[in-house]
Amino acid sequence: MSVNIFIMKVTFPHLGSMYIFCKAMAETAGIPYVLPRPTSNHTREIGEYSTNESVCLPLKIILGNFVDALDQGADTIVMVGSGPPCRLGLYDRIIKVVLTDMGYSFRWLTIPGIFNWQALLQNREEAKVLRRELTAGNYFRFPWAMVMGWKKMIWCEHLERTAAQIRAIAKNPAEVDRLLSQGLVAIDKAQGVRSLSVAGNEAIASIEGVQKTERTPLKVMMVGEVYTVMEPSINMDVERRLGRLGVVVHRSSYFSTHIRRGSRLDRRMLKDRQRLMDMARPYLNYDVGAECNFSVAETVLGHRQGYDGVVHVYPFSCMPETNAATVLCSVSKDLNIPVLPVVIDRQDMGLRIDTQLEAFVDIMTWRRQGRIL
Amino acid sequence: MKVGMAGELLFFEWMSELKGRLSQLAPEIEWIHAPSAGAGQQLLIDADSCYPFKQMVRSSVSLLSDVDVLLAPRIIAMDGFLVCPNFRALPDIVLMNRARLGLNKETHVFTPVVDIDQGHQLEKLAAGIYRDMFGKDPMSCGEKNFSADGQSMAMKDRDLSKSIALIGHPYVLEDSCLNNGVPDILRLNGIDIVYAQWIDFNELSNLAASFDYYAKRLYWRSARELLGAFIYFSRIRPAAGIIHLAPFNCGIDALMRVELTGLRKRMADAPPYMVVVCDEHTQRDHVVTRLEAFLDIVNGVKIK
């Protein structure tokens, strides 16, 4: 009989800059970790070959990340959970099945994305074994690890927002991308609050200091499914591609937005959530689930705030966002705002996205110039 | 009064019960489920939606020209478990299409929220719909018993060892348009078929519960039905083979296919299992070829 021996080495998905948050927490708390390599075509292929055509791309990519990390020696998977009615709430259940089928041995810890009794009891149960392997030092440092992780995440998001603003007007947008990467590395490496603040401020200053053009950039709101909005390797780098075409992309949500919304502890976010649900109401009179209503509401918001267009990104076969896409056809017509649906799957090619985005930018430019209504 | 409801929705047992209850309360209702003609124009339904959902929207929109009242229920949950999120948006998408196409604006569209677990909730729902339709309270016409139907009882005495079990969403199993004629093809080959829906849902849900784990409980009704039926036809009363009819792009079935395949790998002597993905573009010949190959496997297993 084979006995699995685990020496705790945690891993987590490599999504957007979220890995910096997870890594900071593990490092500060002194928990050994394995960081999956950045998502590549190979990551996608692992997910694709181990599931089926109708499973959504984020699940395939997360699965690919975990396979990569387990191959590198990780043995404990940590993932943020979610709840019904979207499939995201059962990602962990399905990924466990696939990894077991593939012959991997691992432990699992789901961080509740929605705080309810079931999720908390599950977390307690899953953490039971892991807790025994943690030292008093790990426990002692954990609150500080959370603070550090959160601060790093906020800096990363600030940096990404700044890059999205400047990229559109930079003389050389590639320079912004380079400085953004450098900045993220510096934030990732920062060991304390002061060094983090220095690294963050320096990165912002360097991005803001690039040579700029005189053009007035177009403004686009990017809405859609959470993972697709946040992870460039899933959305085929839509934000960067648009930035290079002279468009400022405002992302509807960041990782921190979802933590705040999911925890339901932040009153302001609760109010904001209700406001968005009301905004979607003429079109959707019930919460369809996940970000469906938010995608619709944020498009309405984009129109009110004078955005030139909306890019709706979602993975092929995403149930809530498929409905949002249908509704957005109507919203686009009613409010006379261009909405570009970008449905992403493994088979997608950058060139197709480029062609779509170029045509979309042309439409927005002509509308701004009054050449088309 | 002519009342329309998309025929595809009636394959849900609760919806068919609702129709029956409404007919009891208002015998003057003339039900129409199949539109006399299509909407005539392309509808607003995203191309990524699954075929059954597109069909439900098409049927509902097309019915607007044939009826006085359209029932486009917003189905949230049945038997205490959630239904696919698409059903939450169904009435909104129907209304959106009506506005866009400028279709019969005189037709009243009722969009009751369906969240039923018990028979009395159905009574309440039917009474509410009646009140909205006729502007008065319904006359009481006695309690109706909600019990397992004849088919469910008949399953108990049936030998399934030579039958092929069909599992999937009720509307896919029952509607030959949505299942690419799989049951008919099997019948033409002289195969006895059994449906997952013939087994009481509570029994299937209890079987599925053995795989629940705190929050990782299958929260969709159809997923529980699928998993329960798979266990039933492979462990409890094994069938000769199991065919899973899955609509292309169904999010729930996509995950369940992974789970069922994994489960089957871990089972000893599990019957052959095949997934047939149904879509409006699927050709009958392809389905026939796959079914023939599957039946060969099933027969091969028997010979061995």
Side-chain angles (χ1 to χ4, degrees):
Chain A
M1 198 179 86
S2 68
V3 178
N4 295 318
I5 299 167
F6 296 104
I7 305 158
M8 192 197 280
K9 261 195 175 180
V10 299
T11 190
F12 31 79
H14 198 294
L15 284 171
S17 52
M18 190 190 88
Y19 74 93
I20 295 176
F21 160 74
C22 300
K23 198 176 149 196
M25 279 184 64
E27 262 173 8
T28 315
I31 299 168
Y33 66 90
V34 172
L35 180 66
R37 277 171 287 215
T39 302
S40 62
N41 280 343
H42 181 60
T43 320
R44 286 171 175 233
E45 277 163 10
I46 294 170
E48 180 70 24
Y49 295 141
S50 318
T51 57
N52 61 60
E53 80 292 336
S54 297
V55 167
C56 53
L57 191 57
L59 187 145
K60 292 173 184 167
I61 288 196
I62 294 171
L63 173 63
N65 283 159
F66 289 156
V67 168
D68 183 43
L70 291 172
D71 285 341
Q72 288 185 65
D75 63 5
T76 306
I77 294 172
V78 181
M79 189 182 157
V80 178
S82 181
C86 165
R87 284 186 283 185
L88 185 57
L90 291 174
Y91 269 18
D92 43 359
R93 176 170 167 146
I94 300 301
I95 291 175
K96 274 186 207 173
V97 170
V98 180
L99 290 177
T100 309
D101 267 4
M102 292 170 91
Y104 288 104
S105 301
F106 55 92
R107 286 97 53 91
W108 193 285
L109 179 67
T110 301
I111 309 290
I114 292 173
F115 295 112
N116 58 31
W117 280 112
Q118 272 188 328
L120 294 172
L121 284 173
Q122 180 187 333
N123 183 266
R124 187 174 162 269
E125 184 68 29
E126 287 173 338
K128 210 183 270 177
V129 187
L130 305 179
R131 251 184 256 129
R132 278 187 232 128
E133 293 172 31
L134 294 172
T135 62
N138 296 141
Y139 282 111
F140 181 72
R141 288 191 294 242
F142 201 73
W144 180 239
M146 283 181 69
V147 173
M148 201 58 196
W150 182 262
K151 281 187 181 292
K152 282 196 175 187
M153 182 171 60
I154 298 298
W155 268 112
C156 288
E157 291 175 1
H158 183 28
L159 197 59
E160 284 170 343
R161 278 194 192 99
T162 310
Q165 293 282 337
I166 305 294
R167 193 185 286 119
I169 48 168
K171 247 188 185 153
N172 179 9
E175 176 73 1
V176 176
D177 294 338
R178 191 181 60 78
L179 293 170
L180 172 65
S181 303
Q182 276 181 2
L184 290 174
V185 170
I187 289 173
D188 185 21
K189 282 187 179 161
Q191 295 294 319
V193 175
R194 192 168 296 166
S195 60
L196 172 63
S197 173
V198 170
N201 280 317
E202 275 178 4
I204 299 277
S206 66
I207 289 178
E208 284 176 341
V210 300
Q211 274 199 315
K212 300 180 190 75
T213 58
E214 293 296 313
R215 72 168 162 249
T216 315
L218 293 163
K219 276 198 315 176
V220 152
M221 178 88 89
M222 180 156 79
V223 303
E225 189 272 338
V226 49
Y227 280 124
T228 319
V229 169
M230 288 195 307
E231 170 59 50
S233 70
I234 297 182
N235 67 35
M236 308 286 293
D237 233 347
V238 164
E239 186 175 324
R240 201 166 301 200
R241 285 172 200 268
L242 277 168
R244 290 179 176 193
L245 292 171
V247 181
V248 174
V249 179
H250 173 81
R251 249 190 256 175
S252 61
S253 52
Y254 285 85
F255 191 50
S256 62
T257 324
H258 287 276
I259 293 183
R260 285 190 188 132
R261 269 184 197 156
S263 69
R264 299 183 183 209
L265 297 173
D266 187 337
R267 280 198 170 183
R268 212 177 36 176
M269 286 307 276
L270 283 176
K271 269 190 184 168
D272 190 47
R273 184 189 149 84
Q274 192 50 51
R275 188 175 61 94
L276 289 173
M277 295 300 273
D278 292 341
M279 218 176 264
R281 207 163 293 282
Y283 298 96
L284 287 170
N285 292 293
Y286 202 90
D287 183 2
V288 177
E291 285 80 38
C292 176
N293 295 50
F294 298 137
S295 294
V296 173
E298 280 154 356
T299 302
V300 176
L301 190 66
H303 164 73
R304 289 185 192 167
Q305 292 179 347
Y307 280 80
D308 295 284
V310 172
V311 177
H312 179 217
V313 289
Y314 65 100
F316 177 67
S317 91
C318 173
M319 297 186 288
E321 291 303 326
T322 300
N323 288 302
T326 305
V327 174
L328 287 180
C329 294
S330 206
V331 176
S332 166
K333 199 176 172 211
D334 291 352
L335 305 181
N336 193 22
I337 180 169
V339 176
L340 177 73
V342 182
V343 193
I344 311 274
D345 197 20
R346 191 186 78 93
Q347 311 294 342
D348 262 306
M349 293 181 295
L351 289 174
R352 176 184 84 88
I353 305 282
D354 276 339
T355 312
Q356 265 191 310
L357 294 180
E358 281 166 15
F360 186 60
V361 170
D362 283 346
I363 289 171
M364 289 188 296
T365 310
W366 294 337
R367 279 168 56 93
R368 195 181 259 194
Q369 292 168 349
R371 286 161 67 189
I372 53 170
L373 295 173
Chain B
M1 179 189 275
K2 286 183 183 172
V3 179
M5 178 158 63
E8 294 83 5
L9 292 172
L10 288 177
F11 296 118
F12 284 122
E13 213 178 326
W14 282 112
M15 298 315 294
S16 142
E17 295 274 10
L18 177 67
K19 178 192 161 183
R21 196 62 182 150
L22 280 168
S23 297
Q24 274 186 326
L25 294 173
E28 66 269 34
I29 291 180
E30 182 193 335
W31 288 96
I32 300 178
H33 302 298
S36 56
Q41 292 179 55
Q42 200 176 353
L43 300 184
L44 271 187
I45 319 171
D46 193 78
D48 299 347
S49 302
C50 64
Y51 182 28
F53 185 64
K54 284 189 224 172
Q55 238 355 68
M56 285 172 202
V57 174
R58 284 175 194 153
S59 299
S60 302
V61 175
S62 306
L63 277 169
L64 283 166
S65 329
D66 297 337
V67 299
D68 305 309
V69 171
L70 177 76
L71 213 53
R74 197 185 295 281
I75 309 176
I76 309 299
M78 289 188 288
D79 296 302
F81 294 97
L82 297 174
V83 175
C84 159
N86 285 351
F87 288 94
R88 296 176 176 215
L90 177 79
D92 298 319
I93 292 176
V94 170
L95 289 169
M96 216 173 282
N97 275 295
R98 173 164 86 163
R100 179 171 168 263
L101 300 177
L103 286 172
N104 200 349
K105 288 191 175 138
E106 286 78 49
T107 305
H108 295 283
V109 180
F110 289 118
T111 61
V113 173
V114 178
D115 186 350
I116 316 175
D117 192 4
Q118 306 286 331
H120 68 86
Q121 289 166 330
L122 184 88
E123 297 288 336
K124 210 171 148 189
L125 178 66
I129 296 172
Y130 179 92
R131 213 171 289 125
D132 287 344
M133 270 186 201
F134 298 97
K136 57 182 181 186
D137 282 331
M139 301 276 280
S140 173
C141 51
E143 286 286 309
K144 191 176 181 294
N145 286 327
F146 297 92
S147 58
D149 61 14
Q151 268 166 337
S152 178
M153 301 304 281
M155 278 286 286
K156 301 246 185 272
D157 311 315
R158 210 162 151 172
D159 174 23
L160 304 185
S161 61
K162 288 185 181 122
S163 309
I164 298 289
L166 294 182
I167 61 174
H169 298 279
Y171 40 83
V172 179
L173 297 190
E174 304 272 358
D175 190 326
S176 59
C177 191
L178 301 178
N179 60 32
N180 297 123
V182 168
D184 298 335
I185 299 167
L186 288 170
R187 278 192 206 102
L188 280 173
N189 279 278
I191 304 294
D192 178 46
I193 52 176
V194 283
Y195 289 92
Q197 277 69 34
W198 290 355
I199 309 157
D200 179 39
F201 172 74
N202 289 325
E203 189 175 350
L204 297 182
S205 181
N206 287 339
L207 288 172
S210 54
F211 289 85
D212 284 346
Y213 178 67
Y214 296 104
K216 298 304 124 189
R217 165 178 178 261
L218 285 177
Y219 36 71
W220 299 298
R221 187 190 185 277
S222 62
R224 297 189 81 77
E225 202 171 32
L226 263 176
L227 179 56
F230 185 84
I231 299 169
Y232 186 91
F233 291 124
S234 52
R235 276 192 194 157
I236 313 292
R237 299 188 59 210
I242 302 172
I243 297 178
H244 176 183
L245 297 175
F248 176 63
N249 231 359
C250 171
I252 297 173
D253 279 12
L255 295 194
M256 291 317 292
R257 280 161 65 187
V258 177
E259 178 143 354
L260 296 188
T261 312
L263 179 59
R264 189 180 175 276
K265 278 186 196 164
R266 294 192 295 276
M267 274 182 178
D269 296 329
Y273 166 67
M274 175 173 76
V275 180
V276 176
V277 178
C278 306
D279 193 27
E280 52 195 320
H281 306 297
T282 311
Q283 288 187 357
R284 188 184 156 88
D285 293 349
H286 299 172
V287 177
V288 171
T289 310
R290 293 204 60 202
L291 290 178
E292 281 173 358
F294 183 72
L295 292 176
D296 284 347
I297 293 170
V298 170
N299 293 330
V301 168
K302 286 270 180 275
I303 292 161
K304 206 174 170 186

